[in-house]
Amino acid sequence: MTGTPTVFIHIGAPKTGTTFLQNVFWHNKQALKKDGVLVPGRGRRGHVAETFDLRNMGFRGHRLEGAKGAWDRMVAQVRDWDGRVIIDQELLSGATEEQVDRALSSLSFADVHIVYTARDMARQLPAAWQEWIKNQESTTYTDFLAGVRDPEAGEPRVGKQFWRLYDSPGILARWARNVDPAHVHVITVPPPGADRDILWHRFAGLVGIDPQRYQTEFDSANASLAAPEATVLRLLNQEIGGDQFPWPTYDRFIKHGVAPALGRRKGEKIDLPQDVHDWAVNWSRELAKYVESAGFDVIGDTDELVPTARPSGVNPDHAPLEDQLAAAIAGMAVVVNLQTMGASEAHQQLHDAQRQLIQAQRKLREHEELRPADRIKRCLIELSEQVGWLGALYGAFKRVRRRQPTES
């Protein structure tokens, strides 16, 4: 390494344009690298494995494959880089003090900057409930809001999990304990109706890159659900037994299949009751005061953290039944299409395997005059370039042969 890397750790919060920013980073990874900005790691869904490793966490009883040691592997990449680095995962906002200390200690060789994107609480609440539902929960919107406002009186799990990820003052305090306040950057999310590229321009300006040089239009954004669609998904979660349904299957077919399809529908938006909106305004004002008094670098305007207009639309707990029916039919169509595609893919894989086995059998017959070990070797050599898994098998065959004693 010839210099000190400058590392920007974007720690969240969830539902503040994080999916959009991650798409920009990962789709433009090679272009950014040419411009002196490293996005370390191999995944395409943000630094999920690295964060799971740092926080020693799984999800619904499942550990993410490849997570063990992922944080240290990423740090090793950063150590070999002498330019700017972007680490981005909203689940970092839930890190404990000990986990934050581990993260910053592992990057002690670098010039570390903490980046936090924040938006007003009135918009966060409907968005957070949707994300809660997309992760296999079935809590009603009314009960969710009650649990957020009063964790002791409401459903305990709601309040605990919400504030772990959305308690902006607490999160910033944990990450800023041993960081110069000038190196803690709070990027405010523009108000409703603003061009979403403003967020990207603000982030790019912090990193010191030209935002116009990179692609920012993608189909895989984490689209918001309308009220009827969100209710249908909540009822589906309830019907299939909540977390009794296997998470890997849910993640593939529902969270990343049905939910995005429902998100493309244009139904009534989710309402925020007036009393909850008033509470959100007061909470957001306190957040703005905290950010200003802490001396953090504000990119945008703290006025954007305070709600101005109440989100209006439909309470999803009372969404019209005819709208729910239309959303349910759309969801069923997605499941049918996914199942059909899955069956077709499985059929093709079976067909390919059968073709490869027939080819291997033919090659074996062509070399009947050779000794058995030499026949296998010859067949593996000839087939390995055409059949991927045979290449790995040939490598293993060579290692075994080398360990065998020489014939006398």
Side-chain angles (χ1 to χ4, degrees):
M1 186 176 70
T2 59
T4 301
T6 300
V7 180
F8 297 91
I9 309 179
H10 183 203
I11 62 172
K15 308 308 294 180
T16 59
T18 51
T19 300
F20 165 65
L21 289 172
Q22 287 162 12
N23 277 330
V24 174
F25 299 147
W26 290 97
H27 281 87
N28 294 282
K29 183 171 182 174
Q30 293 307 315
L32 284 164
K33 190 172 184 178
K34 289 179 181 178
D35 292 339
V37 181
L38 176 69
V39 181
R42 298 181 179 180
R44 294 189 63 85
R45 290 170 62 183
H47 293 102
V48 176
E50 291 82 358
T51 301
F52 274 33
D53 180 42
L54 176 72
R55 293 186 55 192
N56 189 30
M57 64 180 287
F59 192 78
R60 296 197 176 279
H62 293 273
R63 289 282 177 169
L64 185 64
E65 184 178 352
K68 187 175 182 180
W71 181 268
D72 289 337
R73 289 193 295 271
M74 179 181 67
V75 169
Q77 285 184 268
V78 176
R79 191 182 293 274
D80 291 336
W81 188 258
D82 62 1
R84 291 154 292 176
V85 179
I86 296 173
I87 297 172
D88 188 318
Q89 178 46 233
E90 63 269 25
L91 292 178
L92 288 170
S93 59
T96 64
E97 287 189 356
E98 292 76 15
Q99 292 162 354
V100 171
D101 289 344
R102 180 196 162 194
L104 297 181
S105 176
S106 70
L107 293 165
S108 60
F109 58 87
D111 179 24
V112 175
H113 293 246
I114 306 302
V115 186
Y116 188 78
T117 44
R119 71 173 178 174
D120 72 75
M121 181 59 79
R123 285 192 289 162
Q124 282 292 71
L125 289 169
W129 177 71
Q130 290 180 49
E131 202 63 25
W132 180 259
I133 296 303
K134 290 178 187 176
N135 282 291
Q136 214 170 350
E137 297 289 349
S138 57
T139 308
T140 66
Y141 185 52
T142 301
D143 288 346
F144 178 84
L145 294 177
V148 168
R149 291 181 64 184
D150 190 349
E152 298 299 325
E155 187 177 331
R157 198 160 54 89
V158 170
K160 180 180 179 181
Q161 294 195 22
F162 178 88
W163 290 115
R164 181 186 298 150
L165 295 174
Y166 294 96
D167 177 17
S168 301
I171 292 164
L172 285 165
R174 286 197 299 275
W175 279 92
R177 282 181 308 129
N178 298 310
V179 178
D180 183 341
H183 280 201
V184 179
H185 312 277
V186 177
I187 302 178
T188 60
V189 176
D195 187 340
R196 72 172 185 173
D197 275 357
I198 292 175
L199 180 64
W200 164 238
H201 281 238
R202 290 175 177 178
F203 201 110
L206 169 63
V207 177
I209 53 179
D210 179 2
Q212 304 289 354
R213 286 175 52 81
Y214 309 98
Q215 180 186 359
T216 60
E217 295 294 329
F218 311 104
D219 295 330
S220 55
N222 190 7
S224 296
L225 296 174
E229 284 70 22
T231 295
V232 165
L233 186 58
R234 182 184 71 80
L235 294 174
L236 173 63
N237 293 343
Q238 185 174 291
E239 187 66 24
I240 63 178
D243 57 11
Q244 298 303 309
F245 190 83
W247 170 251
T249 303
Y250 185 95
D251 184 52
R252 178 182 177 188
F253 287 100
I254 308 300
K255 182 173 182 177
H256 292 101
V258 173
L262 293 180
R264 290 190 284 272
R265 293 173 55 81
K266 304 299 180 184
E268 288 280 355
K269 292 184 178 181
I270 295 176
D271 178 56
L272 189 68
Q274 184 64 55
D275 62 324
V276 182
H277 178 261
D278 294 342
W279 171 87
V281 170
N282 292 330
W283 190 92
S284 298
R285 284 173 178 159
E286 293 302 315
L287 169 61
K289 290 178 183 177
Y290 169 77
V291 170
E292 291 168 352
S293 64
F296 300 144
D297 173 41
V298 177
I299 303 172
D301 193 327
T302 53
D303 285 346
E304 293 177 334
L305 298 177
V306 182
T308 53
R310 179 174 67 87
S312 60
V314 172
N315 183 325
D317 295 344
H318 306 291
L321 289 177
E322 59 269 24
D323 294 341
Q324 291 186 45
L325 177 60
I329 293 172
M332 290 170 60
V334 174
V335 172
V336 170
N337 287 332
L338 287 172
Q339 289 285 9
T340 302
M341 290 169 58
S344 176
E345 181 181 346
H347 178 78
Q348 184 60 47
Q349 290 175 348
L350 178 61
H351 175 75
D352 291 344
Q354 291 173 333
R355 179 178 53 79
Q356 292 166 1
L357 286 172
I358 292 171
Q359 193 174 8
Q361 291 172 341
R362 179 168 51 79
K363 287 292 182 183
L364 280 171
R365 287 195 297 270
E366 289 177 0
H367 300 293
E368 289 181 346
E369 75 284 358
L370 300 176
R371 293 183 307 165
D374 291 334
R375 285 177 66 193
I376 295 174
K377 176 181 177 181
R378 173 55 53 191
C379 290
L380 287 175
I381 290 173
E382 293 181 4
L383 289 170
S384 60
E385 293 183 359
Q386 303 171 45
V387 184
W389 58 269
L390 281 174
L393 183 59
Y394 178 51
F397 174 82
K398 289 195 294 184
R399 289 192 293 274
V400 171
R401 290 285 289 170
R402 282 197 296 268
R403 288 197 293 267
Q404 288 182 343
T406 306
E407 293 182 9
S408 57

